[in-house]
Amino acid sequence: MLRRRGKRTLTPAMLEAREELMQSPPDCPDKYALLNVLRALPRTLGLTRNAYLLLLRMVEKTPVESWEMLKTPFIYAHNSTLMSWTGLSLTALRRAVRDLADAKMLVPCDGRNGQRGKRWQGAEGEIQVGFNLSSLRYRWPVLLEKLEEEKRRRSQIVFLRDAIADLNEMVRRAADASGDQTIAMEAARIMRLRRGTEQTDTLTGYYDAMKMLLSEVQTQVKPVDKSAENTILLAQNDINCTPETAPMDANSGTHYTERKNNQTLDAVIVAPKRRDRIETMRRAGQADQSDMGEGRERSALRGFKGTAMFYLSVCPDLRDLCPTSTPSQAELVNAAEQLSGQIGISYQSWRVGCAILGQFESAVAVIVMAARRDHGETIRQPDAYFRSLINRGARNTLFLDRSLYALRDHHAVERVDMQPPPSRMPRFRSKKRGEMHA
């Protein structure tokens, strides 16, 4: 740290920012693109509120053409002008400028004698005094990474809030059925608290608490006693029963007509025997593809059998979400549900996927998407991508087994590359013919 009496104290970060200006920037974003990114990151930049507002006002006051390539975005303003822009006092303004300089968001350019008191705009060929904002060009890749993290965090927040609301509806119905208003009031309290926080850990705790309330209220629901209703139905059947008649012989089958019984029988169709009738119904059931739930004829996995360790190996993000190192299938589905919110899939899309593909198949689809993102593939709109997978699964054209085989091969290649090469020891030939010794 460079301390000088009556002059600005230069920290190592400020000196690095000055040296950075001598190199070419990685990118030159325009003014409004930079403003949009900064406005989307009010809490993740690590700046105080005054420093953040001051940075926004400085970028807003710069000309648009100054952010073009080979030009320097520079802000020239007196302290009184900066105070009028932000409404800060002189002490707060100086503290905000120091915070921005330590964060390498700007470079203060002081006067000829190095003092920071007065500010004037130099003419051509003279040193310009003010604040150089070119440092934001060097922070641009970091800002984009923070923006992606913020988008994932917000998607996870929306996902958790929707999941808590969905569980609250189930808890309310079960509480009304059991008459337990205490649980219903607790669920309503959690619903109010979920709006007052944006911390994912806190929302996850609220989600777990709501799941515990649901399990508790479901155990209190008493089964409906249908003995009296069954007795009434049996009595009605006994009254309305048909008297016994002589059975038909083996050679005569039941006749079904195409017209009413009181008309002339133009066409007579003999019903097939029992075995033939069962085979006909089975073929008709196989031909009907209207059921798109978990009981479909062919799953999206196509018979692929993967263990929990396999899914944890191809998608390491699941390890932090699973309660144990060897999770069960239900625990794997719960972890994938939380992971879907982290990668940008909405809770409504997750519910639709569980209804069409099935819970485990939807979890595997989320795992495949997360694994592809880890390998460097770009999924710009994860929610739309997941819905496209659901549509393919509804048309029975989704093949998750192919993606899983590819991930398995890729993981095997990575493991081989990480293994150290075998050591080669020198070998010497002994006197006896054919014997080798290390």
Side-chain angles (χ1 to χ4, degrees):
M1 182 178 296
L2 183 58
R3 294 182 179 274
R4 299 174 296 176
R5 183 178 179 82
K7 300 179 182 179
R8 187 184 303 276
T9 301
L10 300 179
T11 60
M14 297 169 64
L15 295 175
E16 291 179 3
R18 287 190 175 185
E19 295 176 358
E20 226 175 19
L21 297 179
M22 305 303 295
Q23 304 174 3
S24 59
D27 199 356
C28 294
D30 59 355
K31 172 182 175 180
Y32 295 105
L34 182 61
L35 274 175
N36 292 334
V37 173
L38 291 177
R39 288 168 180 168
L41 303 173
R43 298 181 182 88
T44 57
L45 294 178
L47 301 174
T48 60
R49 182 176 180 272
N50 294 337
Y52 175 73
L53 294 178
L54 178 61
L55 180 63
L56 288 181
R57 294 297 179 269
M58 285 183 173
V59 176
E60 289 174 356
K61 296 299 181 179
T62 53
V64 179
E65 58 272 9
S66 65
W67 290 95
E68 297 178 357
M69 191 176 296
L70 302 179
K71 291 187 178 181
T72 302
F74 197 89
I75 188 71
Y76 161 76
H78 292 279
N79 289 338
S80 58
T81 306
L82 295 175
M83 291 164 59
S84 64
W85 289 351
T86 57
L88 301 176
S89 62
L90 182 59
T91 304
L93 177 64
R94 290 175 177 176
R95 192 175 301 150
V97 169
R98 175 162 293 279
D99 291 339
L100 292 175
D102 289 337
K104 296 193 290 188
M105 295 293 179
L106 54 82
V107 174
C109 299
D110 298 321
R112 300 171 184 173
N113 56 357
Q115 294 183 355
R116 62 180 182 178
K118 296 182 179 180
R119 310 214 180 278
W120 66 90
Q121 189 172 9
E124 295 183 0
E126 297 182 3
I127 299 177
Q128 202 173 16
V129 179
F131 300 100
N132 192 342
L133 300 179
S134 300
S135 298
L136 292 174
R137 293 174 174 174
Y138 300 90
R139 308 283 87 77
W140 180 247
V142 180
L143 293 177
L144 292 181
E145 293 179 1
K146 289 183 178 295
L147 181 63
E148 292 297 327
E149 294 178 1
E150 183 67 14
K151 287 181 179 179
R152 290 195 293 267
R153 191 183 69 86
R154 291 179 182 177
S155 299
Q156 188 179 8
I157 289 173
V158 174
F159 180 85
L160 289 173
R161 286 177 176 174
D162 293 343
I164 292 172
D166 187 71
L167 288 177
N168 174 71
E169 185 68 20
M170 299 170 64
V171 170
R172 186 184 61 82
R173 292 180 181 178
D176 292 342
S178 62
D180 192 347
Q181 296 300 323
T182 305
I183 294 181
M185 293 178 62
E186 181 65 19
R189 187 183 71 87
I190 295 176
M191 284 289 292
R192 291 193 300 269
L193 292 176
R194 73 186 178 96
R195 287 294 182 184
T197 181
E198 291 185 354
Q199 300 295 328
T200 55
D201 297 337
T202 306
L203 289 174
T204 303
Y206 291 157
Y207 177 75
D208 295 337
M210 191 70 77
K211 289 179 65 175
M212 292 178 61
L213 290 178
L214 179 61
S215 61
E216 182 179 353
V217 76
Q218 285 178 349
T219 56
Q220 296 179 2
V221 177
K222 298 180 180 179
V224 181
D225 187 10
K226 297 184 179 180
S227 58
E229 183 180 356
N230 294 335
T231 304
I232 297 174
L233 291 177
L234 289 175
Q236 291 179 357
N237 292 335
D238 292 339
I239 295 173
N240 300 327
C241 63
T242 305
E244 294 184 0
T245 57
M248 302 178 67
D249 55 356
N251 297 326
S252 60
T254 306
H255 294 78
Y256 296 94
T257 62
E258 295 180 352
R259 297 189 178 185
K260 297 181 180 179
N261 294 334
N262 57 358
Q263 295 180 359
T264 307
L265 302 179
D266 293 339
V268 178
I269 302 175
V270 179
K273 295 183 180 180
R274 181 176 181 182
R275 183 178 301 276
D276 298 336
R277 183 167 64 253
I278 292 175
E279 294 296 331
T280 304
M281 293 172 62
R282 182 178 300 169
R283 287 194 297 270
Q286 293 177 356
D288 186 15
Q289 299 293 336
S290 60
D291 186 12
M292 292 298 178
E294 294 184 5
R296 295 179 308 164
E297 180 184 359
R298 300 181 65 184
S299 172
L301 295 175
R302 311 291 174 172
F304 182 88
K305 296 181 180 180
T307 61
M309 296 303 297
F310 167 74
Y311 292 111
L312 293 179
S313 61
V314 298
C315 184
D317 295 338
L318 286 176
R319 297 175 182 175
D320 298 334
L321 302 175
C322 292
T324 60
S325 58
T326 56
S328 60
Q329 182 172 340
E331 294 174 348
L332 200 65
V333 170
N334 292 335
E337 181 180 355
Q338 299 182 22
L339 182 62
S340 63
Q342 295 181 5
I343 65 177
I345 299 175
S346 63
Y347 184 70
Q348 184 64 26
S349 300
W350 169 261
R351 291 185 58 187
V352 173
C354 292
I356 295 179
L357 301 178
Q359 290 187 351
F360 187 69
E361 285 78 2
S362 300
V364 173
V366 171
I367 292 172
V368 169
M369 290 178 59
R372 287 179 175 176
R373 288 169 62 99
D374 293 340
H375 292 160
E377 298 186 17
T378 303
I379 301 178
R380 297 183 178 179
Q381 298 179 353
D383 192 62
Y385 187 87
F386 185 72
R387 286 183 176 269
S388 66
L389 296 181
I390 296 174
N391 294 333
R392 290 174 54 188
R395 297 193 303 268
N396 203 14
T397 57
L398 179 62
F399 303 93
L400 292 177
D401 57 331
R402 300 178 181 177
S403 301
L404 292 174
Y405 282 126
L407 291 176
R408 186 187 66 179
D409 297 340
H410 186 77
H411 181 66
V413 172
E414 288 182 349
R415 291 183 60 185
V416 171
D417 294 340
M418 292 176 62
Q419 290 180 358
S423 59
R424 296 182 178 180
M425 300 292 293
R427 307 179 71 184
F428 304 97
R429 185 177 298 275
S430 63
K431 295 181 179 180
K432 294 184 179 180
R433 187 175 183 180
E435 293 183 357
M436 302 292 292
H437 296 280

